[in-house]
Every structure is written in C-alpha cells, then in structure tokens.
Amino acid sequence: MDIAGKVAVVTGGSAGIGLAIANALADAGAGAVVIGDIDDVKGESAVAGIIERGAKSVYRHTDVSNADEVRALYEEAAESFGQVDIAFNNAGIMLGEPGWPEVAIEQVGRVVKINLLGVMYGTRVAVDVMSRTGGGIVINTASPAGFGPMPNDPMYSSTKAAIINFSFSCVTLQASHNIRVNTIMPGVTDTAILNKSGDGSEPAEWLAPILGMINMLTVEDIAKGAIDVIEDDSRVGEALSIENPAEASGDVG
C-alpha cells in the first residue's frame, strides 16, 4: 500500500510503540492519523506532533475493551476523513503487581479484554468501515511471548498467542473484503509498559534480570517494521517478529 494520503487509526497511540507508528505514518505521507487511547493529555500531545509532521489528526478517548467506544473511534475517523485505510490495533497492558496467581480476578479480566477483545473489536469494526471504500490493512500487535510460557504473567502471553492465531484466521479477509490482516511481534522494547509489569515505577522483579541481559529494541525499530508491512502488499496473514535491533525484521508463518 502506498501510504501517501491514506487514513490510519492507531489505538494505544499516545505513547510508546503506538505513538512511534503514528509518527512514522505521518512521515510516510499519511493524510490523517486518528489516535485512540485513554490518556487524554498524551493523546492530544500526540495529535499536535502528527500535525507538525504534515498530516491531519484527531484524538478520541477510547477504552478498547468497550465495543461501543471502538466503534465510535472508527466512525469518527470515517466521518472526519472519509475513509479508513489502515488500522493498527496496538493497545495492550501487562498484569502488573501482584503477579500471578495472587493478582485480583478483576485484573485478569482487564488484561484479557484490553489485549484480546480490543484487537478483535478493532478488526471487526475495521472490516465494516474499510469495506465501504474498497478495503485496507489491519495490523495487530502481538509478541514473541505468545509462542511460549510466561509463568509470571500468563494472561499476557496467552492473549498474545490468541492474537497471533486470530490474525492468522483472518487471512481470508483478503479475498472476501480486500483487507490484509497481519501481526507484528515486537521483542522487548524500551517503553513504559516495562515499568507497568511491576508497580508502575520500575519493572517487576522477575523481569529485571532479563532486561539486564538483552539489547532492547527502540520504538523506532518497531515502527520501521510496521511501515514495511503496510507498504508490502504481498504480506497477508503473516506475523513479523521484530527482535533484532540490527535487523528489525523476520517472518513467522
């Protein structure tokens, strides 16, 4: 897909990977980037930065675990800019502290709803909106954690595994609706979600040793991989694993 002039929706777009992707879309010539998030201050700041890059932009407060709010986000994008060509379902959280199994049951549900239902809702609504104008591309953010056990945060790894499977299962949308669905799987990336694995101010104790042994990716590494997927129309039903900062590429599936 030629990104020039296209309209994108990015959830979790006020910071971290979502913001980097939103900015990269604007730099690539997107006509408009619509940000959905729950942090209104950072969301409005993200919009200002996108506009400075030459694209139009609006922010809408969106809890992706709420189907009505996801629907409203996409409808606002379509009403404001005439179409939606690119959907980036990126919003996600980790379990935090206390970890598994001491975590409150309500937090278990919150992780599943945001990480998994948010992606499913976003994809489902994108199908309706994109079909009006000939199709588009949906990218869902998963993780290499979806391929193995994560004893301290099984909700995170399980939802990411489900996202991978869900996205693979949507490959038929290319033939039926002209909508490509792909997954990106960022390796450990330097974002605020690492601290949210713990008490919000620093990573969880179980994660800290791992962080000390690896070279973390930057959000720009992830954004580059995402732009490559969008621009390459041959990528359908793929999962792009981005784990090597030197390469920021690699396919699974």
Side-chain angles (χ1 to χ4, degrees), residues 3-159:
I3 296 172
K6 298 299 192 294
V7 177
V9 173
V10 182
T11 65
S14 72
I17 291 172
L19 178 58
I21 289 168
N23 287 338
L25 286 165
D27 290 340
V33 182
V34 178
I35 301 294
D37 209 308
I38 58 171
D39 189 324
D40 298 342
V41 174
K42 289 184 178 178
E44 294 295 350
S45 176
V47 164
I50 292 166
I51 292 172
E52 287 180 359
R53 284 175 156 80
K56 296 178 182 178
S57 185
V58 295
Y59 167 79
R60 185 180 182 95
H61 184 98
T62 306
D63 175 356
V64 297
S65 69
N66 184 309
D68 290 336
E69 292 191 17
V70 174
R71 186 181 294 111
L73 171 67
Y74 279 83
E75 290 296 344
E76 179 165 337
E79 291 172 6
S80 298
F81 304 112
Q83 63 199 63
V84 174
D85 308 289
I86 301 164
F88 212 102
N89 296 311
N90 176 71
I93 62 172
M94 295 187 75
L95 200 58
E97 293 181 344
W100 178 259
E102 290 78 18
V103 61
I105 192 170
E106 292 81 6
Q107 180 67 358
V108 171
R110 183 167 178 261
V111 173
V112 173
K113 289 176 182 177
I114 291 173
N115 288 8
L116 181 54
L117 283 183
V119 165
M120 291 180 169
Y121 289 159
T123 303
R124 176 63 188 88
V125 176
V127 169
D128 284 344
V129 175
M130 290 178 176
S131 294
R132 300 173 194 165
T133 52
I137 179 170
V138 175
I139 299 181
N140 299 320
T141 301
S143 168
F147 288 114
M150 194 171 177
N152 294 288
D153 194 341
M155 270 55 66
Y156 183 82
S157 60
S158 297
T159 54

Side-chain angles (χ1 to χ4, degrees), residues 215-235:
N215 292 320
M216 283 193 288
L217 292 152
T218 68
V219 293
E220 289 77 19
D221 292 326
I222 311 307
K224 180 183 182 300
I227 294 297
D228 289 345
V229 171
I230 293 169
E231 292 181 330
D232 186 350
D233 290 332
S234 71
R235 292 182 179 272

